[in-house]
Amino acid sequence: MLRHWPVPGHADLDRLHGLPAGTLAAAAFTPSRLHPAITGKITDEQWRSTVTADIAEACGSMDRARAVVTAWSDLMPRVDQEVVALLKRARKAVTVALVSNATTQLDSDLARQGLDVLADAVVNTAHIGVAKPDPRVYLIAAERVGAPVHRCLFIDDTAADVTAAREVGMTALHYREPEESPRRLLSAPRSPGSPERSIPNQLRGRATLGILANPHQHPVAVFARRSRRRAARRPGRFRRCGRSVA
């Protein structure tokens, strides 16, 4: 939700470097290649080195392969400014945690695009050893904001991750289109029988509101409300939980 892949030019890298379509994606994002990188078994540098080695034959030399991987690494995802504005507004009242299936480069990537100031906590799966949809990711995210999972709202663009969030007890929404407004997603009425029906009503009295997003390296967020006793005195206000950075 916060950052959108692929970016313009991503699909053109193979063609520009004389490679069969899909060569780079197959080398980088095959589960057996990507999973070790997003669970911290290998570093981002090691991951990109293995991708370079994998495409060297197709490129004709290691030098050409390195050039392809360098060009790919230099691409930056599009930042959704509406989500940025929403998170900035939310952070004035609540704790925000960004959660991402990401490599060890996530922190520097966020800083490079000025996104490292949007959250009180970052849960990078490369630092915790498990990736969505592993239920432990959601439990860790809730722990980082000091709230039980049943008081969290999860939003993701991958159906499997949304299902996993519901299975651990979170309320969850499936973000289906990059053009879909986060505000409209949160407020839109759900069809009868939908597990996402009446989301605003489900959130009443909850302690935490969260938005989590899917990568390739797309982050997430979790917000925490005041305790019920204090909230009763100041309706609609929120307390800020202690900060924790992954």
Side-chain angles (χ1 to χ4, degrees), residues 187-208:
S187 61
R190 304 294 157 182
S191 59
S194 167
E196 298 172 356
R197 186 184 181 193
S198 301
I199 291 298
N201 288 334
Q202 293 179 35
L203 291 175
R204 289 176 184 170
R206 289 175 179 254
T208 300

Side-chain angles (χ1 to χ4, degrees), residues 169-193:
M170 289 184 174
T171 299
L173 292 174
H174 187 194
Y175 178 75
R176 293 179 174 85
E177 299 292 339
E179 296 77 15
E180 185 172 20
S181 164
R183 292 179 178 85
R184 186 171 69 249
L185 179 67
L186 288 171
S187 61
R190 304 294 157 182
S191 59

Side-chain angles (χ1 to χ4, degrees), residues 96-181:
V96 176
L98 299 181
V99 182
S100 180
N101 281 3
T103 72
T104 54
Q105 189 171 296
L106 177 63
D107 290 344
S108 59
D109 281 350
L110 292 176
R112 182 167 59 162
Q113 293 190 279
L115 304 176
D116 54 330
V117 297
L118 292 179
D120 298 292
V122 175
V123 180
N124 180 354
T125 60
H127 294 163
I128 63 176
V130 289
K132 295 177 294 179
D134 190 298
R136 288 171 289 183
V137 175
Y138 310 98
L139 299 177
I140 290 170
E143 181 182 8
R144 293 287 171 89
V145 295
V149 290
H150 70 274
R151 293 191 176 184
C152 295
L153 168 65
F154 176 86
I155 303 177
D156 200 290
D157 58 4
T158 299
D161 295 344
V162 172
T163 298
R166 290 181 183 139
E167 288 176 349
V168 301
M170 289 184 174
T171 299
L173 292 174
H174 187 194
Y175 178 75
R176 293 179 174 85
E177 299 292 339
E179 296 77 15
E180 185 172 20
S181 164

Side-chain angles (χ1 to χ4, degrees), residues 228-244:
R228 291 190 178 185
R229 180 179 300 175
R230 296 184 67 185
R233 294 198 300 268
R234 301 182 66 184
R237 299 298 298 170
F238 294 75
R239 68 177 175 85
R240 186 178 294 276
C241 294
R243 294 189 178 188
S244 176

